[in-house]
Amino acid sequence: MKKITQAILLAITLAASALPVMAEVVIVVNPKNGAPQMTSEQASQFFLGKSSSMTPIDQSEGSAIRAEFYKKLADKEASQVKAIWSKLVFTGKGTLPKEYASSAEIKKAIAADMNAIGYIEKSSVDASVKVVATLP
């Protein structure tokens, strides 16, 4: 009986460790940017190509944070967002956001562009960026 209990506990532990850990995601801009705090709906305007007053930058395609971000921001899969941008590019109404491989690269890009808006893990926030929204 003790071995069965241990086996069950081991199986539960292994199953729990296989679940993805969702990080808290924040939307960030250059610290000198005058952008105020914004809601998810306001931020989604930039990331879904509905407003061009800020330049959205993306994490790399296929990354877990990108999938989580769009799910939390607009309740969309990354593939749905890609389709939105493809249509905008095809019709000449938009340009695909640049992609960066890490939060560190996103922070560098934001430091170099006053109009850039991006997203990173909350744990990566430092003085090089200003948080304008936190996604639940």
Side-chain angles (χ1 to χ4, degrees):
M1 182 70 169
K2 186 175 180 182
K3 288 191 182 231
I4 292 173
T5 304
Q6 288 176 335
I8 291 172
L9 288 174
L10 178 63
I12 291 170
T13 303
L14 289 174
S17 67
L19 295 174
V21 176
M22 300 298 253
E24 197 167 14
V25 178
V26 293
I27 300 172
V28 293
V29 297
N30 187 299
K32 295 177 184 170
N33 185 309
Q37 291 292 316
M38 56 182 76
T39 65
S40 295
E41 292 79 25
Q42 292 167 322
S44 72
Q45 300 298 305
F46 307 114
F47 290 99
L48 298 178
K50 295 178 182 176
S51 174
S52 59
S53 62
M54 294 187 88
T55 307
I57 54 179
D58 245 333
Q59 297 273 355
S60 60
E61 189 173 349
S63 66
I65 188 171
R66 183 171 174 162
E68 180 181 351
F69 172 73
Y70 284 111
K71 193 67 175 165
K72 288 180 174 181
L73 180 75
D75 196 28
K76 294 194 180 304
E77 299 298 323
S79 59
Q80 292 173 299
V81 175
K82 186 175 180 178
I84 290 168
W85 278 105
S86 293
K87 182 178 178 181
L88 290 170
V89 169
F90 181 75
T91 59
K93 295 180 181 176
T95 304
L96 282 174
K98 288 184 181 175
E99 292 182 16
Y100 294 89
S102 68
S103 292
E105 289 183 21
I106 295 279
K107 291 190 296 185
K108 273 187 188 177
I110 286 174
D113 184 349
M114 282 286 294
N115 291 319
I117 184 167
Y119 55 93
I120 60 175
E121 299 89 355
K122 187 174 184 177
S123 61
S124 296
V125 171
D126 60 23
S128 69
V129 293
K130 175 174 85 172
V131 175
V132 292
T134 302
L135 300 180

